[in-house]
Amino acid sequence: MTSSVLDLAPVVPVVVLEDAADAVPLARALVAGGLPAIEVTLRTAAALDAIRAIAAEVPDAVVGAGTVISARNVSDTVAAGARFLVSPGWTDALLDAMKASGVPFLPGVSTTSEVVALLERGVTEMKFFPAEAAGSTAYLKALSAPLPQARFCPTGGISLASAPSYLALPNVGCVGGSWMVPADAVTAGDWARVERLAAEAAALRG
């Protein structure tokens, strides 16, 4: 695996799973569509089992954990097979735990001071969240001149229509989004639809 989550694919699907039984077919559909990096958020009781199942049964997927907010989250998800970590924000304790995990991580930021603080700690790759609410492409573009060494995965409110404007920025490696995993498609087991939406997203950066 590349050492950078930002270089795996133009879009990282942000997945919320209520039923761990959906994890493997969903991951297979996303990989088939060209999106190997999959962020399973820790918003449901099924999340750890979902990460475990994808790690064990979908070798072409690079499964990661999202909504990581504690050192316990870090240890539990890495033990389950998570190969990268994403947080909505960060503290010193959380950053220390993610650094010690041995897997790539994207700590969340929404202000210039948070970006500078991470750069001070040697972290150059981060999640910009919530992207649309925190200033969208205009904010990230403004950061690129004074802080060119920082690279971002914007997540939060991004759609197929808005993703290209983010991906065109020099400091954006990929975007995170959930539009290719609509809840009704997951509930219905419509994996062909998920694969089709994933392929559209994967084609955003030719």
Side-chain angles (χ1 to χ4, degrees), residues 5 30 93 193:
V5 181
L30 290 169
R193 182 181 168 204

Side-chain angles (χ1 to χ4, degrees), residues 23-169:
V24 168
L26 176 67
R28 285 179 176 150
L30 290 169
V31 170
L35 299 180
I38 302 167
E39 177 188 333
V40 177
T41 66
L42 300 183
R43 300 179 197 173
T44 66
L48 279 176
D49 285 338
I51 291 169
R52 206 170 282 119
I54 295 170
E57 298 182 47
V58 191
D60 292 333
V62 180
V63 64
T67 324
V68 173
I69 58 171
S70 69
R72 175 69 182 270
N73 287 163
V74 172
S75 56
D76 286 350
T77 55
V78 172
R83 293 168 64 186
F84 65 92
L85 306 170
V86 184
S87 70
W90 68 279
T91 63
D92 286 329
L94 178 58
L95 189 66
D96 288 342
M98 290 194 293
K99 277 190 161 189
S101 71
V103 301
F105 57 92
L106 296 174
V109 296
S110 62
T111 69
T112 309
S113 293
E114 290 169 321
V115 176
V116 172
L118 282 176
L119 292 173
E120 199 173 72
R121 296 283 301 269
V123 178
T124 59
E125 299 187 343
M126 43 201 93
K127 167 178 173 171
F128 180 60
F129 176 82
E132 287 290 285
S136 188
T137 53
Y139 195 97
L140 286 171
K141 187 175 183 180
L143 288 181
S144 65
L147 302 170
Q149 64 273 54
R151 293 180 74 216
F152 301 94
C153 173
T155 304
I158 297 175
S159 66
L160 179 65
S162 63
S165 59
Y166 282 95
L167 292 168
L169 297 174

